[in-house]
């Protein structure tokens, strides 16, 4: 099977997850410069912002990078037009089905790596041409599915023949080696890169990750089919309460702009998306060190 390094033209099989509001050009370019694959979190960007950000990454690095699109975003159709014009080397897709534009992107030579939450979904996406799949377990930060990383990655590996990237709970050489031993060609990490020097977010957000233990996050919104893993703060408790009462309107109102508030450091009312792996992160490091600490101890 082709290696992730060969497929994407990168040095190390480590992808930085495309995190909305967090994964902007400084972070994505730094990860690519360090030999991984940096990804712009395109989900919340207007088409114009996306174009600017793609150009900014290109001004900072000549190495491959990617763009993450969430197919529930209000902008996604216009974002695809920008992608077709700017041609970033890689696209990852979150929520939604990329089948309607898969062929057009592939004709432009763009590699497509959809995130999957089940083996069936992975099989469907393999059939329509995914170059690899990213199996993301529910330990992850941000929007999550239902299955844990260890079960999901194993199930996906036993179902598809395209390369499988593991995501969810991976922060260090030990968790990386475990996924590689299982058969994953590489890993995608989100939370570990939130606590990086280059992440363009408030120091308070990074501090929340450092202070967390493995029980500091909660899942909210499953009842409304909008499940996210966030830090257990005051906002999280209010979200849980609204969900328990079945009040979707209040839930959505509380969530509106909550990731922006977290990025700005509002400890009370921000939705600090982060994975259970936050409990394993003890320092804020430059992305180069994060990557070297992993590949330096790979088995
Ligand atoms: C702050 C934050 C925002 C995220 N936003 C997105 C997003 O917009 N699109 C997406 O596909 N995944 C998103 N994710 C998921 C990551 O790309 C990645 O798959 C996940 O964080 C991996 O799990 P980990 O946090 O345990 O490393 C986000 C994660 C975090 C922590």
């Amino acid at each position: 099977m082709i290696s992730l390094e060969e497929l994407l033209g990168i040095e190390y099989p480590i992808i930085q997850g495309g995190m909305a509001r967090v994964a902007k050009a400084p972070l994505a370019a730094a990860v690519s410069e360090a030999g991984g694959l940096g990804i712009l979190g395109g989900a919340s960007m207007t088409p114009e912002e996306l174009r600017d950000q793609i150009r900014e990454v290109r001004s900072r690095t000549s190495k491959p990078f990617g763009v993450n699109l969430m197919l529930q975003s209000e902008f996604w159709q216009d974002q695809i037009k920008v992608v077709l014009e700017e041609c970033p080397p890689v696209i990852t897709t979150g929520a939604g089905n990329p089948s309607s534009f898969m062929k057009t992107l592939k004709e432009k030579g763009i590699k497509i790596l959809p995130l999957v939450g089940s083996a069936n979904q992975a099989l469907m996406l393999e059939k329509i041409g995914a170059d690899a799949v990213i199996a993301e377990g529910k330990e992850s930060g941000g929007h999550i599915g239902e299955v844990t990383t260890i079960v999901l990655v194993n199930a996906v590996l036993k179902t598809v023949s395209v390369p499988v990237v593991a995501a969810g709970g991976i922060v260090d050489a030990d968790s990386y080696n475990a996924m590689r031993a299982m058969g994953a060609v590489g890993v995608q990490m989100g939370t570990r890169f939130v606590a990086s020097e280059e992440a363009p977010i408030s120091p308070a957000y990074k501090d929340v990750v450092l202070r967390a233990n493995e029980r500091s996050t909660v899942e909210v919104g499953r009842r409304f089919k909008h499940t996210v893993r966030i830090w257990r703060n005051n906002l999280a408790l209010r979200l849980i309460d609204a969900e328990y009462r079945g009040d979707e309107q209040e839930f959505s109102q509380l969530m509106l702009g909550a990731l922006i508030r977290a990025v700005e450091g509002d400890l009370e009312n921000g939705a600090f998306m982060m994975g259970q792996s936050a409990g394993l992160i003890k320092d804020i490091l430059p992305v180069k060190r994060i990557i070297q600490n992993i590949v330096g101890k790979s088995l």
Side-chain angles (χ1 to χ4, degrees), residues 163-181:
V164 177
V165 176
I170 300 143
V171 284
D172 56 12
D174 296 327
S175 40
Y176 168 91
N177 285 332
M179 289 301 122
R180 294 300 306 264

Side-chain angles (χ1 to χ4, degrees), residues 17-20 43 68 70 94 136 140-141 168-169 188-191 205 273 277:
M19 299 173 277
N68 172 262
M70 293 285 271
E136 190 201 60
S140 300
Q188 168 164 298
M189 302 191 297
T191 307
Y205 199 145
M273 294 188 177
S277 62

Side-chain angles (χ1 to χ4, degrees), residues 222-233:
R222 195 167 291 287
R223 182 170 182 175
F224 307 131
K225 299 189 174 19
H226 176 85
T227 321
V228 286
R229 182 177 297 287
I230 57 175
W231 180 44
R232 190 198 301 261
N233 63 351

Side-chain angles (χ1 to χ4, degrees), residues 46-52 54-55 58 65 67 69 76-89 91 101 104-110:
T46 63
E48 297 71 38
E49 277 169 333
L50 181 60
R51 191 188 304 280
D52 289 349
I54 291 175
R55 292 183 178 176
R58 285 209 159 105
F65 66 98
V67 171
L69 299 177
W76 79 264
Q77 276 163 324
D78 288 329
Q79 288 174 334
I80 294 289
K81 288 186 198 146
V82 171
V83 163
L84 287 170
E85 284 160 18
E86 299 292 323
C87 283
I91 289 288
F101 55 82
T104 331
L105 293 193
K106 284 181 73 98
E107 279 165 7
K108 290 262 183 187
I110 299 172

Side-chain angles (χ1 to χ4, degrees), residues 268-289:
E268 284 287 304
N269 302 306
F272 291 77
M273 294 188 177
M274 55 192 229
Q276 293 179 328
S277 62
L280 295 161
I281 299 170
K282 302 294 171 217
D283 40 22
I284 297 164
L285 295 174
V287 297
K288 193 168 178 187
R289 280 274 302 286

Side-chain angles (χ1 to χ4, degrees), residues 26 32 82 85 101 116 130 155 158 178 180 193 203 217 265 273 293 298:
S32 290
V82 171
E85 284 160 18
F101 55 82
V116 299
K158 289 181 167 71
R180 294 300 306 264
F193 287 117
T217 67
M273 294 188 177
N293 285 349
S298 66

